[in-house]
Coordinates of all heavy atoms in Angstrom, one line a residue:
N315 N 54.6 -9.4 14.1 CA 53.3 -9.3 14.7 C 52.6 -7.9 14.3 O 52.3 -7.1 15.1 CB 53.3 -9.3 16.3 CG 52.0 -9.7 16.9 OD1 51.1 -10.1 16.2 ND2 51.9 -9.4 18.2
P320 N 62.9 -2.5 14.6 CA 64.2 -2.2 14.2 C 65.1 -3.5 14.3 O 65.1 -4.1 15.4 CB 64.7 -1.1 15.0 CG 63.5 -0.5 15.6 CD 62.5 -1.5 15.7
D333 N 60.1 -14.4 6.6 CA 59.7 -13.0 7.1 C 59.7 -12.0 6.0 O 60.1 -12.2 4.9 CB 60.8 -12.6 8.2 CG 60.5 -13.4 9.5 OD1 59.4 -13.8 9.8 OD2 61.5 -13.6 10.2
L338 N 65.5 0.9 4.4 CA 65.6 2.3 3.9 C 67.0 2.6 3.7 O 67.9 2.4 4.5 CB 65.0 3.2 5.0 CG 65.3 4.7 4.8 CD1 64.6 5.2 3.6 CD2 64.9 5.5 6.1
S347 N 71.1 17.3 -0.4 CA 69.8 16.9 0.2 C 69.8 15.3 0.2 O 70.5 14.7 -0.6 CB 68.6 17.4 -0.6 OG 68.6 17.0 -1.9
L349 N 68.4 11.6 -0.4 CA 67.6 10.8 -1.4 C 67.2 9.5 -0.7 O 68.0 8.9 0.1 CB 68.4 10.4 -2.6 CG 68.9 11.6 -3.5 CD1 69.9 11.2 -4.5 CD2 67.8 12.4 -4.0
D363 N 50.1 -11.8 5.9 CA 49.9 -10.6 6.9 C 51.3 -9.8 6.9 O 51.3 -8.6 6.9 CB 49.7 -11.1 8.3 CG 48.3 -11.7 8.5 OD1 47.5 -11.5 7.5 OD2 48.0 -12.4 9.5
T372 N 55.7 0.5 4.4 CA 56.6 1.2 3.4 C 56.0 2.5 3.0 O 56.6 3.6 2.9 CB 56.9 0.3 2.2 OG1 57.7 -0.8 2.6 CG2 57.6 1.0 1.1
D376 N 57.5 6.2 3.7 CA 57.6 7.2 2.6 C 56.9 8.5 2.9 O 57.5 9.5 2.8 CB 57.1 6.5 1.3 CG 57.3 7.4 0.1 OD1 57.9 8.5 0.2 OD2 56.9 6.9 -1.0
F401 N 74.6 -4.5 0.4 CA 75.2 -5.5 1.3 C 76.4 -6.1 0.7 O 76.4 -6.7 -0.4 CB 74.1 -6.6 1.5 CG 72.8 -6.1 2.1 CD1 71.8 -5.7 1.2 CD2 72.7 -5.8 3.4 CE1 70.6 -5.2 1.7 CE2 71.5 -5.3 3.9 CZ 70.5 -5.0 3.1
K402 N 77.6 -5.9 1.4 CA 78.8 -6.4 1.0 C 79.3 -7.5 1.8 O 79.4 -7.4 3.1 CB 79.9 -5.2 1.0 CG 79.5 -4.0 0.1 CD 79.6 -4.3 -1.3 CE 79.3 -3.0 -2.1 NZ 78.7 -3.3 -3.4
E421 N 68.0 -18.9 16.9 CA 69.3 -18.6 16.2 C 70.5 -19.2 16.8 O 71.6 -19.1 16.3 CB 69.4 -17.1 16.0 CG 68.4 -16.5 15.1 CD 68.6 -15.0 14.9 OE1 69.6 -14.6 14.2 OE2 67.9 -14.2 15.4
R435 N 79.7 -9.9 -10.3 CA 79.8 -8.6 -9.7 C 79.0 -8.5 -8.4 O 79.5 -8.3 -7.4 CB 79.3 -7.5 -10.7 CG 79.8 -6.1 -10.4 CD 79.5 -5.2 -11.6 NE 78.1 -5.3 -12.0 CZ 77.1 -4.7 -11.5 NH1 77.3 -3.8 -10.5 NH2 75.9 -4.8 -11.9
P443 N 69.2 -27.4 -0.1 CA 69.2 -28.6 0.7 C 70.6 -29.2 0.7 O 71.2 -29.3 -0.3 CB 68.2 -29.5 0.2 CG 67.2 -28.7 -0.6 CD 68.1 -27.6 -1.1
H451 N 78.0 -29.1 -11.7 CA 79.4 -28.8 -12.0 C 79.7 -27.4 -12.5 O 80.8 -27.0 -12.8 CB 79.9 -29.8 -13.1 CG 80.1 -31.2 -12.6 ND1 81.0 -31.5 -11.6 CD2 79.5 -32.3 -12.9 CE1 81.0 -32.8 -11.3 NE2 80.1 -33.3 -12.1
D458 N 78.7 -24.3 5.1 CA 79.0 -23.7 6.4 C 78.7 -24.6 7.5 O 77.6 -24.9 7.8 CB 78.3 -22.4 6.6 CG 78.8 -21.5 7.7 OD1 79.8 -21.8 8.3 OD2 78.1 -20.5 8.0
N472 N 82.9 -20.5 -12.8 CA 83.6 -19.4 -13.3 C 84.6 -18.8 -12.3 O 84.3 -18.9 -11.1 CB 82.5 -18.3 -13.5 CG 83.0 -17.0 -14.0 OD1 83.6 -16.2 -13.2 ND2 82.8 -16.8 -15.3
I473 N 85.7 -18.4 -12.8 CA 86.8 -18.0 -11.9 C 86.4 -16.8 -11.0 O 86.8 -16.7 -9.9 CB 88.1 -17.8 -12.6 CG1 89.3 -17.7 -11.7 CG2 88.0 -16.6 -13.6 CD1 90.6 -18.0 -12.3
G493 N 85.4 -15.0 13.5 CA 86.7 -15.1 12.8 C 87.6 -16.3 13.0 O 88.7 -16.4 12.5
D496 N 88.2 -22.9 10.3 CA 89.1 -23.3 9.2 C 88.3 -23.1 7.9 O 87.0 -23.1 7.9 CB 89.6 -24.7 9.3 CG 90.5 -24.9 10.4 OD1 91.2 -23.8 10.7 OD2 90.6 -26.0 11.0

Side-chain angles (χ1 to χ4, degrees):
N315 203 15
D333 289 331
L338 169 64
S347 60
L349 303 172
D363 290 348
T372 291
D376 187 357
F401 303 94
K402 301 291 182 206
E421 291 185 73
R435 197 170 51 83
H451 288 298
D458 192 7
N472 179 283
I473 191 159
D496 292 332

